[in-house]
Each structure stands twice: as structure tokens, then as C-alpha cells.
Amino acid sequence: MRTPVTIVSARFEDLVAIGLEQLISEDPNLELVESGVELDVLEEVLTKRQPNVVLLNFGSLRNAASVYQLHQSNPDTRVVVLANRPTAAESNQLL
């Protein structure tokens, strides 16, 4: 059996958080190692847990540049940003 992909999830709205946790828990190839992480401690948690993936809530980000900074400080962690109707400019900034 393969080693599961480890995931840290930032804080999301309750319904989204429940859905993500349920979805991840049903897949044996995924392991949610920490969820509901506030942005002010996210870098510390990523350094401690060293997950394969971090899930971010676009609506709670300070700015799009924070995604770049997070990636720079944790280059081995893949960043997935969940967004509800971002503008074209916001999407470009995230790239």
C-alpha cells in the first residue's frame, strides 16, 4: 500500500470544512493531519507537520502575495487555493 498524501487544511466556513473533512476521510490515499488552522500559525504548522498539500481559503487570505510567500517558505508543500468566483486579476495574482 502506498503512503497516503498528507494534508493540512486552513480554516474554512463550517459547512465547507465538514465537507472537506468527510471527502478526505473517505479516501484511503489521503490523510488529514491538521484542519482548521488559522493563518497566523499556518507557517508554523506546515514546518512542524511538513504535509504534501495545504488547502487554503482564498476568502481568508490577507492578499494573493501571501500564497507566494507560503510557497517560498515551504517549497515541498503543494498549495491548493479554494476560491468562490475570484476575479481574473485575483486568479492571475495567485499564479
Side-chain angles (χ1 to χ4, degrees):
M1 185 172 190
R2 292 179 10 193
T3 303
V5 173
T6 55
I7 301 170
V8 165
S9 176
R11 182 158 172 70
F12 284 87
E13 294 80 10
D14 291 342
L15 189 58
V16 174
I18 291 168
L20 286 171
E21 288 176 19
Q22 184 65 33
L23 186 68
I24 292 167
S25 71
E26 291 177 358
D27 190 328
N29 297 307
L30 303 175
E31 179 184 0
L32 187 62
V33 294
E34 194 141 354
S35 65
V37 179
E38 298 291 342
L39 288 177
D40 58 338
V41 295
L42 186 59
E43 284 198 48
E44 179 182 325
V45 171
L46 294 180
T47 300
K48 176 183 173 189
R49 295 290 196 159
Q50 298 183 343
N52 301 112
V53 176
V54 59
L55 301 176
L56 300 177
N57 181 354
F58 180 76
S60 65
L61 294 175
R62 292 176 192 92
N63 55 51
S66 59
V67 174
Y68 177 76
Q69 293 165 347
L70 192 64
H71 175 67
Q72 289 297 101
S73 62
N74 300 277
D76 294 331
T77 300
R78 301 296 182 248
V79 179
V80 176
V81 180
L82 302 180
N84 184 19
R85 298 183 183 155
T87 66
E90 291 168 333
S91 296
N92 284 335
Q93 287 179 336
L94 290 172
L95 295 175

Short mmCIF file of all heavy atoms in Angstrom, two decimals, residues 1-8 20-33 52-53 55:
data_model
loop_
_atom_site.label_atom_id
_atom_site.label_comp_id
_atom_site.label_asym_id
_atom_site.label_seq_id
_atom_site.Cartn_x
_atom_site.Cartn_y
_atom_site.Cartn_z
N MET A 1 0.84 -1.19 0.00
CA MET A 1 0.00 0.00 0.00
C MET A 1 0.88 1.25 0.00
O MET A 1 1.89 1.31 0.68
CB MET A 1 -0.91 -0.02 1.23
CG MET A 1 -1.88 1.10 1.26
SD MET A 1 -3.05 0.87 2.61
CE MET A 1 -4.20 2.12 2.19
N ARG A 2 0.45 2.24 -0.75
CA ARG A 2 1.19 3.49 -0.85
C ARG A 2 1.01 4.34 0.40
O ARG A 2 0.01 4.24 1.09
CB ARG A 2 0.71 4.29 -2.05
CG ARG A 2 1.07 3.65 -3.35
CD ARG A 2 0.60 4.41 -4.55
NE ARG A 2 0.08 5.74 -4.28
CZ ARG A 2 -0.59 6.46 -5.15
NH1 ARG A 2 -0.84 5.97 -6.33
NH2 ARG A 2 -1.01 7.66 -4.86
N THR A 3 1.99 5.18 0.63
CA THR A 3 1.90 6.14 1.73
C THR A 3 0.87 7.20 1.35
O THR A 3 0.92 7.74 0.24
CB THR A 3 3.27 6.81 1.97
OG1 THR A 3 4.23 5.80 2.22
CG2 THR A 3 3.19 7.78 3.13
N PRO A 4 -0.08 7.50 2.24
CA PRO A 4 -1.09 8.50 1.89
C PRO A 4 -0.52 9.90 1.73
O PRO A 4 0.50 10.24 2.34
CB PRO A 4 -2.08 8.45 3.05
CG PRO A 4 -1.40 7.73 4.15
CD PRO A 4 -0.28 6.94 3.57
N VAL A 5 -1.18 10.71 0.92
CA VAL A 5 -0.85 12.11 0.75
C VAL A 5 -1.31 12.83 2.01
O VAL A 5 -2.48 12.74 2.38
CB VAL A 5 -1.54 12.69 -0.50
CG1 VAL A 5 -1.32 14.19 -0.59
CG2 VAL A 5 -1.05 11.98 -1.75
N THR A 6 -0.40 13.53 2.66
CA THR A 6 -0.76 14.23 3.89
C THR A 6 -1.24 15.64 3.57
O THR A 6 -0.71 16.31 2.68
CB THR A 6 0.43 14.29 4.87
OG1 THR A 6 1.54 14.87 4.21
CG2 THR A 6 0.78 12.90 5.37
N ILE A 7 -2.26 16.08 4.31
CA ILE A 7 -2.92 17.36 4.03
C ILE A 7 -3.09 18.15 5.31
O ILE A 7 -3.50 17.62 6.34
CB ILE A 7 -4.31 17.12 3.40
CG1 ILE A 7 -4.18 16.32 2.09
CG2 ILE A 7 -5.03 18.44 3.15
CD1 ILE A 7 -5.50 15.84 1.55
N VAL A 8 -2.80 19.44 5.22
CA VAL A 8 -3.14 20.40 6.26
C VAL A 8 -4.16 21.35 5.65
O VAL A 8 -3.99 21.83 4.54
CB VAL A 8 -1.90 21.19 6.76
CG1 VAL A 8 -2.31 22.42 7.56
CG2 VAL A 8 -1.00 20.30 7.59
N LEU A 20 -14.98 19.02 3.36
CA LEU A 20 -13.59 18.65 3.07
C LEU A 20 -13.13 17.50 3.95
O LEU A 20 -12.50 16.55 3.47
CB LEU A 20 -12.66 19.85 3.27
CG LEU A 20 -12.70 20.94 2.21
CD1 LEU A 20 -11.90 22.15 2.66
CD2 LEU A 20 -12.18 20.41 0.88
N GLU A 21 -13.42 17.58 5.23
CA GLU A 21 -13.01 16.52 6.16
C GLU A 21 -13.65 15.19 5.77
O GLU A 21 -12.99 14.14 5.79
CB GLU A 21 -13.35 16.89 7.59
CG GLU A 21 -12.47 17.99 8.14
CD GLU A 21 -12.85 18.45 9.54
OE1 GLU A 21 -13.55 17.71 10.25
OE2 GLU A 21 -12.43 19.56 9.92
N GLN A 22 -14.92 15.21 5.41
CA GLN A 22 -15.63 13.99 5.02
C GLN A 22 -15.03 13.42 3.73
O GLN A 22 -14.77 12.23 3.63
CB GLN A 22 -17.12 14.28 4.83
CG GLN A 22 -17.94 13.06 4.52
CD GLN A 22 -17.98 12.07 5.67
OE1 GLN A 22 -17.93 12.43 6.84
NE2 GLN A 22 -18.04 10.80 5.34
N LEU A 23 -14.82 14.27 2.76
CA LEU A 23 -14.27 13.86 1.47
C LEU A 23 -12.89 13.23 1.64
O LEU A 23 -12.59 12.16 1.09
CB LEU A 23 -14.19 15.07 0.54
CG LEU A 23 -13.77 14.81 -0.89
CD1 LEU A 23 -14.83 14.02 -1.64
CD2 LEU A 23 -13.53 16.14 -1.59
N ILE A 24 -12.04 13.88 2.42
CA ILE A 24 -10.68 13.38 2.63
C ILE A 24 -10.69 12.09 3.43
O ILE A 24 -9.95 11.15 3.11
CB ILE A 24 -9.82 14.46 3.31
CG1 ILE A 24 -9.61 15.64 2.35
CG2 ILE A 24 -8.48 13.90 3.79
CD1 ILE A 24 -9.04 16.89 3.00
N SER A 25 -11.54 12.01 4.45
CA SER A 25 -11.56 10.81 5.30
C SER A 25 -12.03 9.56 4.54
O SER A 25 -11.70 8.45 4.93
CB SER A 25 -12.44 11.05 6.53
OG SER A 25 -13.81 11.10 6.16
N GLU A 26 -12.78 9.74 3.47
CA GLU A 26 -13.29 8.60 2.69
C GLU A 26 -12.26 8.04 1.72
O GLU A 26 -12.47 6.97 1.16
CB GLU A 26 -14.55 9.00 1.94
CG GLU A 26 -15.74 9.24 2.84
CD GLU A 26 -16.98 9.70 2.10
OE1 GLU A 26 -16.92 9.87 0.86
OE2 GLU A 26 -18.00 9.88 2.76
N ASP A 27 -11.17 8.73 1.51
CA ASP A 27 -10.15 8.28 0.57
C ASP A 27 -8.95 7.74 1.33
O ASP A 27 -8.26 8.49 2.03
CB ASP A 27 -9.73 9.45 -0.34
CG ASP A 27 -8.86 9.01 -1.49
OD1 ASP A 27 -8.09 8.03 -1.35
OD2 ASP A 27 -8.95 9.65 -2.56
N PRO A 28 -8.64 6.45 1.19
CA PRO A 28 -7.51 5.87 1.92
C PRO A 28 -6.15 6.40 1.47
O PRO A 28 -5.16 6.19 2.16
CB PRO A 28 -7.63 4.36 1.64
CG PRO A 28 -8.40 4.28 0.37
CD PRO A 28 -9.32 5.47 0.35
N ASN A 29 -6.12 7.09 0.34
CA ASN A 29 -4.86 7.65 -0.16
C ASN A 29 -4.58 9.05 0.37
O ASN A 29 -3.57 9.65 0.04
CB ASN A 29 -4.87 7.69 -1.69
CG ASN A 29 -4.95 6.31 -2.28
OD1 ASN A 29 -4.15 5.45 -1.94
ND2 ASN A 29 -5.93 6.09 -3.13
N LEU A 30 -5.51 9.58 1.18
CA LEU A 30 -5.38 10.92 1.76
C LEU A 30 -5.41 10.84 3.28
O LEU A 30 -6.16 10.05 3.85
CB LEU A 30 -6.51 11.83 1.27
CG LEU A 30 -6.66 12.01 -0.23
CD1 LEU A 30 -7.89 12.85 -0.54
CD2 LEU A 30 -5.41 12.63 -0.83
N GLU A 31 -4.62 11.69 3.92
CA GLU A 31 -4.61 11.76 5.38
C GLU A 31 -4.61 13.22 5.82
O GLU A 31 -3.67 13.97 5.54
CB GLU A 31 -3.39 11.06 5.95
CG GLU A 31 -3.31 11.12 7.46
CD GLU A 31 -2.03 10.51 8.01
OE1 GLU A 31 -1.19 10.03 7.22
OE2 GLU A 31 -1.87 10.54 9.23
N LEU A 32 -5.67 13.63 6.50
CA LEU A 32 -5.77 14.99 7.02
C LEU A 32 -5.04 15.02 8.35
O LEU A 32 -5.51 14.47 9.34
CB LEU A 32 -7.24 15.38 7.19
CG LEU A 32 -7.54 16.81 7.57
CD1 LEU A 32 -7.03 17.78 6.50
CD2 LEU A 32 -9.03 17.00 7.79
N VAL A 33 -3.88 15.66 8.37
CA VAL A 33 -3.06 15.67 9.58
C VAL A 33 -3.40 16.82 10.51
O VAL A 33 -3.12 16.75 11.71
CB VAL A 33 -1.54 15.65 9.26
CG1 VAL A 33 -1.15 14.34 8.61
CG2 VAL A 33 -1.13 16.82 8.41
N ASN A 52 2.21 17.09 2.41
CA ASN A 52 2.37 17.13 0.96
C ASN A 52 1.55 18.25 0.35
O ASN A 52 1.94 18.83 -0.67
CB ASN A 52 1.92 15.80 0.33
CG ASN A 52 2.68 14.62 0.87
OD1 ASN A 52 2.12 13.79 1.56
ND2 ASN A 52 3.98 14.54 0.58
N VAL A 53 0.40 18.56 0.97
CA VAL A 53 -0.55 19.54 0.42
C VAL A 53 -1.09 20.42 1.54
O VAL A 53 -1.34 19.94 2.64
CB VAL A 53 -1.73 18.82 -0.28
CG1 VAL A 53 -2.77 19.81 -0.77
CG2 VAL A 53 -1.24 17.95 -1.42
N LEU A 55 -4.38 23.14 2.01
CA LEU A 55 -5.61 23.70 1.44
C LEU A 55 -5.84 25.07 2.06
O LEU A 55 -5.89 25.20 3.29
CB LEU A 55 -6.81 22.80 1.75
CG LEU A 55 -6.74 21.36 1.24
CD1 LEU A 55 -7.96 20.58 1.72
CD2 LEU A 55 -6.64 21.34 -0.26
#
